[in-house]
Amino acid sequence: MMSRTHLAVGIASSLAASLFVFQPRSLSDVMISFAGGALGGVFADVDTVSHDKKHQALVSQLLGLLALGIAAALDWSMRLGVCEFVAGPNRAPSLFAGAVIVFLYLYGLITPHRTFTHSMIAMALFSGCFFLIYTRLGFGVLAGYASHLVLDLLTKKEIHLFHPLKKGFCLRLFYADKAADKFFMRLGILASLGLTAYRLYPYIVP
Ligand SMILES: [Zn+2]
């Protein structure tokens, strides 16, 4: 699947899922859901960065990290409290999780495409680390990551969902990078824009 499809669908999935789970909802929840969905939506394809000649995979990884950086900067400048919580006295779990996240990025770079990073274990490890840092962020990452695995499962190329088992799975419904991929990308963009506007509306209009 195209990187931008995963980015758009990851953001939309996270924003939609958080609508049903978190009450009461807040402005920081919108930003965290957006950033978590972007990050979780694209991380699995870190395993294509080293051999993607068009650098789309690298750009999408950087966009995911940028979304997190912007959310953190906005949170800090608006004093919404998430950065203060993460940097608070109980920092040890966040530091441990951060180290594991860096390891997962580095390990993902050297694993074959659609193997480790496209598995349930990688999804649990990657999102689990973000749960340790901040629960709502972990939830957004999990929703984005799950959307990535579901989208890739629909294609005609197998993923190692139960890694380290070598058996691959796919539903062979459509080819990645063809018409259906573009359809999901447009759907993801529309849903992301609509959900972001819907979620931000109460904070923009007095
Ligand atoms: Zn993938």
Side-chain angles (χ1 to χ4, degrees):
M1 302 287 289
M2 297 185 296
S3 303
R4 48 207 158 158
T5 304
H6 285 305
L7 189 66
V9 175
I11 293 168
S13 304
S14 173
L15 283 168
S18 75
L19 255 181
F20 296 101
V21 174
F22 296 119
Q23 303 288 345
R25 298 188 288 268
S26 65
L27 179 58
S28 79
D29 176 39
V30 184
M31 297 192 309
I32 286 169
S33 298
F34 191 98
L39 210 56
V42 298
F43 170 73
D45 280 350
V46 73
D47 62 8
T48 62
V49 166
S50 60
H51 41 90
D52 174 12
K53 293 191 175 69
K54 293 181 182 169
H55 305 299
Q56 287 180 2
L58 176 62
V59 169
S60 69
Q61 295 300 325
L62 294 175
L63 284 175
L65 291 167
L66 182 68
L68 185 64
I70 291 173
L74 286 172
D75 173 86
W76 186 262
S77 65
M78 295 162 81
R79 294 279 180 265
L80 295 177
V82 179
C83 287
E84 275 141 341
F85 172 83
V86 174
N90 190 20
R91 263 172 286 180
S94 297
L95 289 171
F96 171 73
V100 176
I101 290 165
V102 171
F103 169 78
L104 289 172
Y105 268 102
L106 295 175
Y107 185 59
L109 282 170
I110 58 167
T111 55
H113 187 35
R114 292 198 170 213
T115 57
F116 170 69
T117 61
H118 287 70
S119 67
M120 305 276 273
I121 182 103
M123 179 172 73
L125 280 172
F126 191 70
S127 3
C129 287
F130 286 98
F131 267 103
L132 267 183
I133 294 169
Y134 196 75
T135 307
R136 293 190 179 200
L137 180 60
F139 183 82
V141 172
L142 178 63
Y145 211 127
S147 77
H148 188 120
L149 297 187
V150 169
L151 279 176
D152 279 0
L153 269 175
L154 300 178
T155 68
K156 299 195 180 214
K157 199 172 169 199
E158 295 176 344
I159 64 171
H160 285 192
L161 194 61
F162 299 107
H163 191 86
L165 295 180
K166 298 248 184 298
K167 180 160 176 53
F169 296 88
C170 65
L171 296 173
R172 302 182 194 283
L173 295 182
F174 57 80
Y175 287 103
D177 304 329
K178 297 275 168 63
D181 197 334
K182 289 185 180 121
F183 168 77
F184 279 112
M185 179 190 69
R186 286 174 190 140
L187 191 67
I189 291 172
L190 279 176
S192 295
L193 289 174
L195 283 162
T196 303
Y198 173 68
R199 298 291 302 275
L200 287 179
Y201 183 76
Y203 305 103
I204 294 169
V205 178

